Amino acid sequence: MIDSPTNISPKSSNLKKWAICHLAVPWCDPFHSNSSSDKKRMAYAPSPLPRIILLDGGISTHLESKLLQSTKAKSNTEINADAISPVFSHRELWSSSLLLTPDGQDAIISCHDDFFEAGSDVASSVTYQCHYGACEFSDEKVDRMLRDGVKLAKASVEKFSTKHERDEEKIIRKCSDRFVAASIGCYGASLADGSEYDGKYHTIHPEISQVDSLEQFHERKTRVLLAQYPDSIAYETIPCLVECEAILSLWKRMKKESNLPSELLQYPMVWMSFACRDGAHLNDETKLTTLLKRLDELDPDASIIHGIGVNCCSFAHSE
């Protein structure tokens, strides 16, 4: 599986100097792109070779596996791995439910630690499934969960840096070059019914199928996470064109607001990873060529979306 963006445009922060890949597999070839803005999104480090940045793909799977093993060891009983996970207390929140308790937060930090020790350069906040309206939680409680998700990832970066600051074996991959991506899931993920795998929201939820509605869905989460100053904002598993348009519309509007500090909007890199049904279409059957053309129209200089990629699709479709 390819997870999250594979090419990131060079902007102001250190993270923006490098190509980003999960499993170090490039999704696009910048030397065969006909679009100037596509090429701007495809960043490579200074010659002679790029540095590949590794993402922590599958963080929820790793969390679940670790906690299941721990539960099994404590209870000395077999755990049905096919059942709804007993380690995530709220199905609607999935791994984000761990943000609700001190023990869960410790598990998240431990998971981030595992990925850094394995060579990952980016910690994704465990906030993909953290949505307003889930479990009838107040908006303020979800705000705290989102903030905590970024804080935990930052804490793991600090922990890793302190542990290895004098480790000569790590000198090639500097500890200071570890980053935090604030993860935001698509609208379909908030439904907890697999809607991100078809992207056809309008067939079940016509009220949310327009750009304005989807823009509103993403706005508060984006603002809360931005205020935590992550290195990047990651919109993940976007299955349909209209949601991509909504995210672009949101950022265009925010960049025009005079009451937001300019550094808040300029600091983070923003990427979108798309959920695809095959090698040529999004899950809602939009052609990838149509998506890229629309990105060019809405963000011609790549000033909003700095990276694009794919996730939650078969590895066979990456070629």
Side-chain angles (χ1 to χ4, degrees):
M1 181 198 303
I2 297 179
D3 197 349
S4 293
T6 60
N7 297 284
I8 301 299
S9 134
K11 297 290 181 180
S12 58
S13 76
N14 289 335
L15 179 55
K16 294 168 187 173
K17 296 178 182 177
W18 313 105
I20 289 190
C21 297
H22 172 57
L23 302 182
V25 178
W27 180 56
C28 301
D29 183 350
F31 303 106
H32 294 85
S33 173
N34 294 321
S35 165
S36 60
S37 60
D38 280 350
K39 290 178 181 178
K40 290 179 182 177
R41 291 186 176 91
M42 299 172 189
Y44 286 78
S47 61
L49 295 172
R51 172 185 167 186
I52 299 299
I53 300 291
L54 300 180
L55 304 184
D56 55 353
I59 188 167
S60 292
T61 302
H62 184 54
L63 270 169
E64 183 180 30
S65 176
K66 286 190 67 169
L67 291 171
L68 281 172
Q69 291 175 12
S70 176
T71 300
K72 179 181 177 180
K74 290 178 181 178
S75 64
N76 197 29
T77 58
E78 290 296 324
I79 300 293
N80 182 4
D82 295 327
I84 294 176
S85 177
V87 300
F88 299 147
S89 59
H90 297 80
R91 182 180 184 277
E92 300 93 330
L93 296 171
W94 201 238
S95 57
S96 296
S97 62
L98 296 175
L99 293 165
L100 294 167
T101 66
D103 286 346
Q105 293 187 5
D106 288 345
I108 290 173
I109 291 180
S110 176
C111 186
H112 289 318
D113 293 347
D114 288 346
F115 275 102
F116 281 139
E117 292 294 342
S120 177
D121 300 291
V122 181
S124 302
S125 63
V126 184
T127 51
Y128 172 86
Q129 199 73 18
C130 194
H131 303 290
Y132 296 103
C135 305
E136 299 183 354
F137 290 165
S138 68
D139 289 351
E140 290 73 21
K141 186 168 186 175
V142 177
D143 287 345
R144 289 195 297 272
M145 293 172 68
L146 291 167
R147 289 193 292 266
D148 286 345
V150 175
K151 289 176 182 177
L152 294 175
K154 286 186 174 183
S156 183
V157 170
E158 180 65 26
K159 180 180 178 182
F160 183 85
S161 298
T162 300
K163 179 179 179 181
H164 294 293
E165 59 184 353
R166 289 191 173 89
D167 187 346
E168 294 183 0
E169 294 180 0
K170 305 277 183 178
I171 195 167
I172 295 177
R173 302 172 72 82
K174 296 180 181 178
C175 296
S176 59
D177 290 343
R178 294 301 189 279
F179 309 101
V180 172
S183 173
I184 298 179
C186 64
Y187 173 73
S190 72
L191 302 176
D193 64 358
S195 292
E196 63 266 47
Y197 295 106
D198 63 37
K200 298 178 181 179
Y201 305 151
H202 61 281
T203 61
I204 302 175
H205 302 275
E207 74 282 358
I208 200 71
S209 63
Q210 301 302 313
V211 167
D212 290 347
S213 299
L214 288 167
E215 183 178 334
Q216 183 179 4
F217 169 78
H218 283 288
E219 181 168 359
R220 182 162 178 161
K221 282 187 289 184
T222 298
R223 290 179 183 274
V224 170
L225 290 170
L226 266 177
Q228 301 308 304
Y229 287 89
D231 297 294
S232 64
I233 299 287
Y235 297 95
E236 301 188 278
T237 324
I238 305 300
C240 55
L241 177 60
V242 67
E243 193 156 11
C244 171
E245 293 173 330
I247 293 167
L248 281 162
S249 177
L250 169 62
W251 275 88
K252 283 186 174 182
R253 176 164 56 81
M254 289 196 304
K255 284 178 176 288
K256 292 179 181 179
E257 293 180 9
S258 58
N259 62 331
L260 284 175
S262 59
E263 67 272 14
L264 196 64
L265 295 175
Q266 294 173 358
Y267 177 71
M269 178 185 63
V270 181
W271 75 62
M272 270 194 267
S273 59
F274 298 98
C276 300
R277 63 188 298 121
D278 54 36
H281 300 86
L282 297 179
N283 281 349
D284 74 340
E285 300 182 4
T286 297
K287 291 182 178 180
L288 289 179
T289 51
T290 300
L291 166 70
L292 293 174
K293 182 179 179 180
R294 189 63 174 146
L295 274 171
D296 282 345
E297 293 171 351
L298 296 174
D299 187 23
D301 59 354
S303 63
I304 298 175
I305 303 301
H306 307 103
I308 55 175
V310 295
N311 70 333
C312 288
C313 68
S314 171
F315 182 80
H317 299 325
S318 66
E319 297 183 0

